[in-house]
Amino acid sequence: MFSTFMGVEIAKRSMQTAQSTLYVTQNNIANANNPDYSRQVVNISTFEPLYLPQISMPTVAGQIGQGSFLESIERVKDFFLENKIMTETSFLSNFSTIVSYVQRIDAIYNEPYGKSLIEAINNFFNAFNDLAKDPESVAKRALVVEKAKYMIDLFHDKFDKIKGLQDDLNFDIDLTINKANELIKQIALLNDKIKKIEATGQRANDLKDQRDKLIIELSNIIPITTKDKEDFYVYLDGKILIQGKEFHQIEKIYDDKNKGFIFPSLNGERIFVNNGKLSALLTMRDKIVDDQLKKINQLALSLIEGVNIIHQKGKTLSGRTNISFFNELPLSLYINGEYDSNSDGFSDRNVIYKIIGTKQLNLTDKLMISGTLNINGKIINYYENDTVEDLIKKVNLANTGINFYLNSFGQLEIKGNASSNGIFSIEHLEDSGLFLSSFAGLLKENAIFDKNDLNAFQNFYTGQIYLISPEKNIASWIDLSKDIKADLNNIAAAFADKDLKEGDGNIALQISLLNKSNFFIQNSYSISDFYQNMINDYASFGFIAKQNMDNHQLLLYNFENLKQSYSGVNMDEEFSNMMKFQKMYQATAKFVTTLNELYEILIGIVR
Amino acid sequence: MYTRVSNNLQSNYFRKTLLNTENNLFNLQKQATSGKLISFPSENPEINFNVLKYQKTFSHMDQYLKNIRDISNVMEYTDGVIRNINEVLQRIREIAVQAANGIYSEEDRKKMAVEVDELLKQIYSLSNEKFNDKYLFSGFKVLREPFVANIDGERINDIYYAGDNGEMKIDVGHSDIIEYNITGNKLFYSENTTIIPQGNFFNFVADNDYKIKINNTEIKIFKGDTIEDIISRINKSNAGVIANIDLDTGEFYIKTTFPHKPFLEDIERNLLQKMNIIDPLNKPPFNISNSAKKYGGSLFDQIIQFRNALERNDSEAISTRTIQFLDMSIDNLTKYIALNGSKLERIKMTEKFLEFQKVDLTEALSNIESADITETISKLKSFETVYQASLQIATNLDKLGLMYFLR
């Protein structure tokens, strides 16, 4: 037998179902413009029909349905798309961060139409060229100093700005790690909440949407992968970052050796991220911007060195010789170049920038000996049939951070480029044969030069000359020498001669011709070539990043659109749902009225 | 294709289209207003690289042009001065031809002497001509008179060269360095100078390594070099002198290869002093040892001798020899007029070439860096239309949807 009021029960459930469904629809409409929201759909199920097989089961025709009920509210989500979006977000934020910082470098250099460093350098050399025509003229001398000062100012300015940018990047890395840690914490917290809710059998749809949003935000910073099993996992670089409510924070290591910059680490181990904002910031700080600093220092060093060598050969109007035009600051005040690199009060290495051989060589000389060079850890073999030129080329192409070349006296000069710590120095020289020793006259036979050997100078060939490295950050301290600052007449325009020759501008001419020399910097670039390459390096990097950014933006846009197409709210759909459930509610209400009438009749019979 | 269109999809799509169009519009506007394709290196490194290369070339070319203009002024002025001197010299030659004629009396010759004296003073003053406050003919000693006269009252007794042999150089092209001054020790000397030091050099051997300097050329002499070795080293050096030895008398001499007063100097140790050629107490060119025999004088020496001969009515001295000397001087001046003129012509041609090249390069650069205005503007117009259409559609779309029909 069926209960009298069974119909009311069915109607009640139906009305409840229709009502909740309307609420879900309303929630969908309310979040139609929320990009992180996934539309929710209701699962309506039939209620358990009568009767269940049990002892009290009446023998009537069955089963009879008991109406519908709201089984679950599910969000519509495509997890494959979600993963794609995560990856693309990492890519995009990597490239867009690079682009934004490259634009800041653009603004520093003021190329190609602003007042640029290279223009100032050209003007400086042209001033010397003008002085060559009127070396007796005080006005022309004043012009040389003025142009030199302007150039020096620009060197300081560019250096400060690039260095400032590097510091900004370091600061940004700090902030970015903090933000990542905050996100990690929040995600772990949400994991906990979600787990607790879902344990009750309900669906934590909105909280999951929130977590997805945070995951995308974290993807912006670091390239993470996720796994949603019994716990929600987040991995970084193959290591677990979050597991359920447990999480690891990204730690900051301060690298004392490297300017005190911050490096990210996990469980005490340095991590290498290859994507996302953090990766972009690290690349910019440690490669692109750092490279610009090295290059601008190299430019300043070459200028100081090149101009001074010629200037010192000249004679000033006051009859003095051996005057430097630019200031020179050695890194070590000791004659053997001892230097305390970790500031603990004890010298721990030597800083030797240049070694000049004693023997006079020709480029076409055959070596007639063979051996193996170890230059800064790179191995270079040389054979009997090689000429001096062959070997010099081999060394320079090997990218050892050291340049070989013959100076104007035919002596072999070895010069160090800037290493990662910003010091221009030679780190290691070793020769299994006799080239560096008896052939070129640099080292004693079988002797090894190493930067960490405080007695390394004892290994030099007798009579050989070496130069101490310049103070770090050359572009920041490049300046006129005291002599030039004190008196314009201390500019040496003339060759040093017994007689005073005020009309001799040959030294000034030679200095001005440096600007056109193709071997000015590292013996392989002219100033303008070097500068053009320096600009081109970062600009190309930025340009490629921009293209990649556009690419990934398009990909991300497509995936976002697919996601919105799948998970986004469509108003018409919601309205038709609304109509549907409104009608369901109305129909059910009508049914209740009908039941009511039935009861009225029933009660009437009784009466 | 999207299987389902959601509200966010629509708005995303329109936002993206509008942003793209706005970006394009902005870039085109930037190009249209600046006329340039890029304003930062990273926008297009290739264009930037080329622009920098051209800018470097322009900077160098401008400096070459400036140099050419500066030195051609000096050289044109020098040309005028030498031509003036030449004219005065021609007048002296006319007098010399006249004076050689026997019909003139002592009185006439004295009058001629007065005129020659005036002309001498004129040449002297021309030899000390300045341009831009710098003496033209004194080499590097631009602030000092190249020729100094011993004056007794109004009368010039002697004129000597006090300048040096400095060669002023400037670059007028890539690895094209031009020497643009003429020194007095060349221009005003018309005879070859010969120096014969005292002594027999037959068995002379260098007892050490030496370095000497002849006319700006440094010559190394090595220990054990015989006199023949020394001679061959000097002759191979192209210093403007040749040396030789008379095998019979052991007499050594140095002779210039073209008329000028040579500058001889010891740089390392004192070989020339040991050979009795120079006296270290004086500076070149006054350092030729008193004991050495010297031949060859300046144009001034000849004119002074001629004037003195006229005054003395010494018809012996006013002979064809004077005219010969004067002709040599005129030849020498003409040589330098031609040399100076041809250099001037060459740099003028370089100037023209540079100016043409600048026009060509400017055009080439413009092809690289300049935005095509017609193209830019028409693109700008078409993007404007697209932008307006997008906005129109976006507003119209708002009025679509079931909501508007469910009333």
Side-chain angles (χ1 to χ4, degrees):
Chain A
M1 277 306 279
F2 300 117
S3 146
T4 316
F5 296 107
M6 189 179 83
V8 182
E9 282 300 315
I10 298 175
K12 189 186 83 189
R13 274 197 286 275
S14 296
M15 283 171 87
Q16 272 173 353
T17 308
Q19 228 168 355
S20 356
T21 317
L22 275 172
Y23 295 154
V24 170
T25 304
Q26 198 183 4
N27 190 33
N28 278 343
I29 292 172
N31 282 297
N33 291 324
N34 177 356
D36 300 313
Y37 180 77
S38 312
R39 82 188 144 102
Q40 294 174 4
V41 289
V42 286
N43 274 342
I44 300 171
S45 276
T46 46
F47 198 73
E48 232 160 65
L50 291 178
Y51 289 98
L52 294 170
Q54 54 193 44
I55 299 172
S56 62
M57 185 176 133
T59 48
V60 287
Q63 292 179 305
I64 185 154
Q66 288 296 296
S68 64
F69 82 108
L70 194 64
E71 197 194 4
S72 66
I73 303 168
E74 302 272 359
R75 57 183 190 140
V76 182
K77 189 95 188 175
D78 182 337
F79 291 99
F80 167 75
L81 270 180
E82 201 59 23
N83 279 333
K84 283 283 171 199
I85 288 170
M86 267 164 58
T87 324
E88 286 309 319
T89 306
S90 290
F91 271 118
L92 181 62
S93 100
N94 181 36
F95 291 121
S96 64
T97 308
I98 290 173
V99 167
S100 74
Y101 273 98
V102 163
Q103 281 168 348
R104 286 181 63 181
I105 309 181
D106 270 346
I108 292 173
Y109 281 118
N110 240 342
E111 292 292 353
Y113 301 114
K115 293 263 167 240
S116 65
L117 180 61
I118 192 70
E119 192 190 14
I121 295 175
N122 276 333
N123 288 343
F124 164 71
F125 281 112
N126 284 344
F128 258 115
N129 200 256
D130 285 339
L131 179 65
K133 288 175 285 182
D134 298 298
E136 79 295 341
S137 153
V138 181
K140 292 275 171 80
R141 280 165 188 271
L143 215 61
V144 168
V145 166
E146 196 185 296
K147 298 285 181 196
K149 274 186 184 160
Y150 180 65
M151 177 183 80
I152 287 166
D153 283 350
L154 278 193
F155 261 114
H156 295 173
D157 178 59
K158 304 293 170 202
F159 181 88
D160 288 350
K161 282 182 178 154
I162 300 170
K163 188 80 190 69
L165 191 62
Q166 202 180 26
D167 293 341
D168 283 359
L169 277 160
N170 193 45
F171 185 61
D172 203 348
I173 289 169
D174 195 350
L175 290 183
T176 307
I177 294 176
N178 288 349
K179 195 179 169 201
N181 283 339
E182 190 51 43
L183 286 169
I184 290 168
K185 220 187 285 176
Q186 284 181 24
I187 291 168
L189 213 66
L190 275 174
N191 277 348
D192 191 31
K193 274 192 196 165
I194 290 167
K195 197 167 184 183
K196 278 179 185 156
I197 288 168
E198 303 225 320
T200 65
Q202 288 189 329
R203 292 275 182 275
N205 289 330
D206 293 316
L207 289 181
K208 276 181 163 176
D209 273 350
Q210 251 186 61
R211 184 175 66 190
D212 286 347
K213 185 187 168 195
L214 294 180
I215 289 288
I216 295 292
E217 271 183 46
L218 190 58
S219 297
N220 253 313
I221 300 172
I222 41 179
I224 48 167
T225 46
T226 58
K227 197 168 81 182
D228 199 358
K229 279 180 129 183
E230 63 272 28
D231 269 334
F232 186 81
Y233 291 86
V234 176
Y235 299 94
L236 170 64
D237 197 19
K239 298 183 186 98
I240 295 177
L241 198 59
I242 306 172
Q243 178 185 1
K245 60 176 180 176
E246 305 299 330
F247 61 91
H248 293 295
Q249 294 269 280
I250 299 173
E251 302 132 22
K252 300 171 206 164
I253 318 176
Y254 293 86
D255 190 342
D256 288 334
K257 271 191 179 168
N258 202 347
K259 301 154 193 157
F261 281 163
I262 295 170
F263 291 92
S265 81
L266 208 56
N267 303 328
E269 227 180 286
R270 192 155 151 191
I271 44 171
F272 295 93
V273 282
N274 51 16
N275 223 336
K277 187 180 177 187
L278 188 58
S279 152
L281 292 174
L282 287 167
T283 310
M284 286 305 285
R285 186 192 68 186
D286 299 335
K287 292 217 177 94
I288 305 303
V289 174
D290 204 56
D291 197 44
Q292 292 295 313
L293 280 177
K294 272 185 198 163
K295 295 227 161 102
I296 200 165
N297 281 332
Q298 174 74 62
L299 197 60
L301 177 62
S302 295
L303 267 176
I304 295 176
E305 221 188 342
V307 171
N308 276 357
I309 283 179
I310 299 178
H311 198 267
Q312 282 159 1
K313 282 194 249 171
K315 193 171 191 179
T316 69
L317 269 190
S318 40
R320 296 170 64 192
T321 59
N322 210 17
I323 301 260
S324 297
F325 186 82
F326 290 112
N327 195 15
E328 284 178 358
L329 268 184
L331 186 57
S332 161
L333 294 173
Y334 301 106
I335 189 146
N336 297 325
E338 291 150 347
Y339 179 64
D340 175 14
S341 63
N342 53 9
S343 318
D344 62 355
F346 299 102
S347 297
D348 47 33
R349 62 165 290 183
N350 59 57
V351 281
I352 305 266
Y353 160 58
K354 189 162 107 180
I355 310 178
I356 305 170
T358 45
K359 301 290 171 74
Q360 200 175 335
L361 311 178
N362 287 313
L363 282 177
T364 50
D365 287 349
K366 278 253 165 72
L367 298 182
M368 310 303 281
I369 44 171
S370 64
T372 305
L373 292 175
N374 176 344
I375 300 168
N376 285 3
K378 292 225 166 118
I379 304 297
I380 293 146
N381 290 313
Y382 59 90
Y383 308 102
E384 282 90 347
N385 274 336
D386 286 349
T387 61
V388 172
E389 191 175 14
D390 291 339
L391 180 56
I392 288 178
K393 270 189 189 153
K394 265 189 215 175
V395 172
N396 291 345
L397 286 176
N399 235 343
T400 54
I402 284 185
N403 281 99
F404 275 36
Y405 58 95
L406 295 190
N407 66 15
S408 53
F409 303 107
Q411 294 159 328
L412 183 72
E413 285 192 13
I414 295 187
K415 213 194 254 186
N417 299 339
S419 54
S420 59
N421 48 19
I423 299 176
F424 284 79
S425 70
I426 298 169
E427 306 197 329
H428 189 86
L429 280 181
E430 193 179 336
D431 186 1
S432 74
L434 296 173
F435 177 75
L436 288 182
S437 49
S438 54
F439 193 88
L442 283 146
L443 292 181
K444 282 184 187 152
E445 220 163 287
N446 298 324
I448 296 168
F449 171 84
D450 192 83
K451 64 166 180 169
N452 294 322
D453 177 7
L454 284 178
N455 291 320
F457 65 96
Q458 289 173 351
N459 296 332
F460 289 140
Y461 204 81
T462 327
Q464 163 287 350
I465 300 168
Y466 56 87
L467 267 70
I468 310 283
S469 305
E471 181 62 76
K472 288 186 220 173
N473 301 335
I474 300 143
S476 73
W477 57 257
I478 180 175
D479 201 359
L480 296 173
S481 69
K482 274 183 195 150
D483 287 317
I484 300 292
K485 276 184 185 166
D487 188 357
L488 287 178
N489 287 340
N490 278 335
I491 298 174
F495 267 124
D497 209 337
K498 285 175 195 157
D499 241 359
L500 179 61
K501 293 172 170 175
E502 61 280 322
D504 183 0
N506 275 310
I507 287 289
L509 178 66
Q510 274 194 21
I511 290 175
S512 78
L513 290 180
L514 287 177
N515 198 18
K516 285 152 202 162
S517 159
N518 286 330
F519 310 100
F520 187 56
I521 295 176
Q522 292 169 351
N523 244 59
S524 25
Y525 304 99
S526 69
I527 293 177
S528 48
D529 284 349
F530 187 81
Y531 183 81
Q532 283 157 16
N533 287 338
M534 163 175 149
I535 299 289
N536 204 41
D537 279 352
Y538 88 82
S540 300
F541 188 75
F543 184 67
I544 292 166
K546 174 77 171 52
Q547 285 182 329
N548 278 323
M549 183 182 100
D550 291 345
N551 239 339
H552 287 288
Q553 209 159 33
L554 197 68
L555 280 172
L556 183 62
Y557 166 74
N558 282 333
F559 287 133
E560 284 274 0
N561 279 351
L562 281 173
K563 173 185 162 188
Q564 289 300 345
S565 163
Y566 190 65
S567 305
V569 178
N570 180 306
M571 280 295 186
D572 290 348
E573 200 176 70
E574 299 305 324
F575 272 116
S576 49
N577 274 345
M578 186 183 81
M579 279 159 57
K580 212 161 74 183
F581 293 110
Q582 192 185 0
K583 292 284 183 263
M584 174 177 163
Y585 190 88
Q586 279 172 355
T588 315
K590 190 79 190 159
F591 180 69
V592 172
T593 333
T594 314
L595 277 180
N596 190 32
E597 280 168 15
L598 287 179
Y599 296 137
E600 293 255 316
I601 294 167
L602 198 66
I603 294 165
I605 293 168
V606 175
R607 213 181 271 151
Chain B
M1 265 310 283
Y2 300 108
T3 45
R4 189 173 163 276
V5 178
S6 69
N7 273 38
N8 273 336
L9 175 61
Q10 278 181 349
S11 65
N12 263 4
Y13 184 79
F14 278 103
R15 202 181 56 222
K16 172 84 177 170
T17 331
L18 285 181
L19 277 178
N20 265 351
T21 321
E22 275 173 13
N23 248 337
N24 286 332
L25 271 175
F26 177 68
N27 277 334
L28 286 169
Q29 275 165 359
K30 221 168 57 177
Q31 288 179 9
T33 44
S34 73
K36 302 280 199 290
L37 285 173
I38 61 163
S39 28
F40 290 114
S42 68
E43 280 179 74
N44 190 328
E46 201 189 330
I47 293 181
N48 179 68
F49 193 75
N50 281 318
V51 172
L52 288 186
K53 267 202 164 3
Y54 276 94
Q55 281 176 352
K56 172 200 86 178
T57 314
F58 281 130
S59 157
H60 288 178
M61 276 163 74
D62 284 342
Q63 188 64 23
Y64 296 144
L65 282 170
K66 195 175 171 197
N67 286 348
I68 288 173
R69 275 160 210 158
D70 283 353
I71 66 169
S72 59
N73 285 341
V74 186
M75 289 168 82
E76 272 161 11
Y77 195 78
T78 308
D79 182 66
V81 173
I82 305 178
R83 278 173 200 279
N84 269 339
I85 295 170
N86 196 25
E87 271 170 35
V88 179
L89 217 52
Q90 292 285 1
R91 175 66 198 139
I92 296 176
R93 190 183 178 279
E94 279 168 29
I95 296 172
V97 172
Q98 270 184 324
N101 197 324
I103 63 161
Y104 290 102
S105 66
E106 188 181 344
E107 196 71 2
D108 293 331
R109 294 211 166 104
K110 284 226 163 104
K111 275 182 196 157
M112 286 177 193
V114 172
E115 192 183 348
V116 169
D117 195 49
E118 278 310 311
L119 294 171
L120 171 67
K121 281 176 186 159
Q122 202 177 337
I123 294 184
Y124 173 59
S125 126
L126 283 169
S127 74
N128 285 336
E129 201 44 72
K130 284 199 263 188
F131 181 81
N132 222 349
D133 282 339
K134 293 199 281 189
Y135 289 100
L136 283 177
F137 302 118
S138 56
F140 287 151
K141 299 187 169 176
V142 289
L143 300 182
R144 278 165 284 178
E145 291 188 339
F147 287 96
V148 180
N150 279 323
I151 299 174
D152 183 4
E154 287 270 298
R155 186 186 158 83
I156 296 175
N157 284 332
D158 183 24
I159 293 175
Y160 61 90
Y161 182 59
D164 61 22
N165 58 350
E167 293 165 353
M168 292 181 174
K169 290 175 199 153
I170 201 70
D171 52 331
V172 293
H174 193 73
S175 64
D176 184 2
I177 294 171
I178 202 166
E179 187 195 310
Y180 61 95
N181 69 330
I182 301 170
T183 51
N185 72 325
K186 290 179 188 161
L187 187 65
F188 293 90
Y189 283 76
S190 44
E191 284 179 287
N192 275 322
T193 311
T194 311
I195 299 161
I196 307 171
Q198 206 180 33
N200 186 330
F201 289 90
F202 199 75
N203 293 318
F204 188 89
V205 176
D207 59 347
N208 211 331
D209 286 353
Y210 291 100
K211 204 192 259 178
I212 59 170
K213 191 165 151 190
I214 301 177
N215 290 340
N216 292 334
T217 309
E218 285 185 0
I219 301 164
K220 272 184 183 168
I221 309 288
F222 296 99
K223 188 174 178 177
D225 278 358
T226 62
I227 192 71
E228 269 92 3
D229 295 332
I230 296 174
I231 288 170
S232 103
R233 286 190 203 284
I234 291 175
N235 294 351
K236 274 183 192 158
S237 69
N238 282 329
V241 300
I242 48 165
N244 212 339
I245 185 166
D246 187 327
L247 290 176
D248 296 332
T249 60
E251 198 173 62
F252 173 81
Y253 67 85
I254 288 178
K255 192 181 172 193
T256 58
T257 53
F258 62 94
H260 71 276
K261 192 176 176 89
F263 281 62
L264 305 169
E265 215 176 333
D266 277 323
I267 300 293
E268 270 170 33
R269 289 176 277 274
N270 51 352
L271 182 76
L272 293 175
Q273 191 196 341
K274 273 193 178 149
M275 292 177 80
N276 301 327
I277 299 172
I278 63 165
D279 174 4
L281 292 176
N282 292 318
K283 283 177 181 171
F286 308 113
N287 58 352
I288 306 299
S289 169
N290 281 330
S291 62
K293 285 185 258 178
K294 286 160 279 185
Y295 300 101
S298 73
L299 182 155
F300 293 111
D301 295 339
Q302 292 160 19
I303 301 172
I304 290 168
Q305 273 170 32
F306 175 49
R307 183 201 62 193
N308 293 351
L310 283 173
E311 281 171 350
R312 289 197 312 273
N313 194 21
D314 182 350
S315 51
E316 193 81 353
I318 316 164
S319 59
T320 45
R321 208 175 130 68
T322 308
I323 297 171
Q324 205 189 329
F325 275 142
L326 285 170
D327 279 344
M328 279 163 69
S329 296
I330 290 167
D331 280 352
N332 198 39
L333 287 181
T334 320
K335 187 178 101 188
Y336 283 105
I337 290 174
L339 193 69
N340 193 45
S342 60
K343 270 186 193 168
L344 201 54
E345 202 170 319
R346 183 164 84 72
I347 60 168
K348 288 280 181 191
M349 268 168 65
T350 312
E351 185 184 13
K352 249 185 210 156
F353 173 71
L354 284 174
E355 265 160 5
F356 276 128
Q357 211 181 15
K358 239 180 109 176
V359 174
D360 286 350
L361 286 178
T362 312
E363 202 182 315
L365 175 59
S366 159
N367 282 339
I368 293 168
E369 65 165 7
S370 298
D372 182 338
I373 289 294
T374 335
E375 202 188 316
T376 312
I377 302 257
S378 58
K379 266 190 194 163
L380 201 60
K381 279 286 155 206
S382 81
F383 274 115
E384 264 171 29
T385 320
V386 171
Y387 187 57
Q388 277 168 358
S390 312
L391 285 176
Q392 194 67 43
I393 290 167
T395 32
N396 283 347
L397 202 85
D398 215 30
K399 291 172 191 149
L400 292 176
L402 200 50
M403 204 166 68
Y404 285 87
F405 300 91
L406 289 178
R407 287 189 194 269

